[in-house]
Amino acid sequence: MSDKSTRIGEIVALHHHREGPLLPILNDVQAAFGCVDAEAEALIAKGLNLSRADVHGVVSFYHDYKPQADARPVVQVCRAEACKARGVEAIVAAAEAAAGARVKIETVYCLGLCSAGPAARTGDDLHIRLDAQSIAELVENA
Ligand code: FES
């Protein structure tokens, strides 16, 4: 048994007793491996006695689950309505230019900071009232 299947087995066992164990399992697998790939889907499905289609349907519904690991740092930029109204579209180009191929700019829809947008998140850190210069600095430091 590979290290990966052993670890996923541990994660499934950790949550198996819960009501609605799939999402906590997917969260832990994503955190452990940076993705929930086809192999992980199959192992989780087997562990929960679900079909692979059941698991894949949930994985593909939520954008936070990635089909393959991406080692790049991620800057999530909110492009929902309130941040749009506060000018996010005018500063996205500055973020993308600063990112190049090194940083992944990911669009999200609302970080719960609507009155203080444009807003972005890096890891667990939230950033507000961004302008072209501050978002470029944020990306460069990601
Ligand atoms: S719309 Fe951007 S944080 Fe809510």
Side-chain angles (χ1 to χ4, degrees):
M1 196 180 280
S2 72
D3 287 351
K4 183 174 184 177
S5 64
T6 299
R7 181 69 187 114
I8 289 175
E10 292 169 353
I11 291 168
V12 170
L14 180 67
H15 296 290
H16 194 273
H17 67 285
R18 299 175 73 167
E19 194 169 325
L22 183 53
L23 288 179
I25 289 170
L26 294 175
N27 290 342
D28 283 1
V29 170
Q30 173 74 34
F33 300 101
C35 65
V36 182
D37 60 14
E39 179 188 6
E41 287 181 5
L43 291 165
I44 293 165
K46 186 175 178 191
L48 293 180
N49 199 24
L50 297 171
S51 72
R52 284 191 61 186
D54 287 335
V55 175
H56 183 70
V58 175
V59 169
S60 59
F61 181 79
Y62 293 103
H63 296 294
D64 280 349
Y65 303 130
K66 310 298 181 198
Q68 53 201 22
D70 186 338
R72 293 179 295 170
V74 175
V75 176
Q76 294 182 323
V77 178
C78 175
R79 297 175 78 173
E81 291 308 317
C83 284
K84 275 190 177 171
R86 299 180 71 87
V88 71
E89 295 306 321
I91 67 172
V92 168
E96 289 172 342
R102 187 186 70 81
V103 177
K104 181 177 181 184
I105 304 295
E106 191 172 272
T107 295
V108 294
Y109 294 98
C110 199
L111 295 167
L113 301 162
C114 312
S115 64
R121 176 167 64 191
T122 54
D124 291 333
D125 296 329
L126 296 165
H127 309 272
I128 58 174
R129 296 189 177 88
L130 295 166
D131 59 20
Q133 183 177 342
S134 60
I135 201 167
E137 288 171 4
L138 181 66
V139 170
E140 286 162 6
N141 293 324

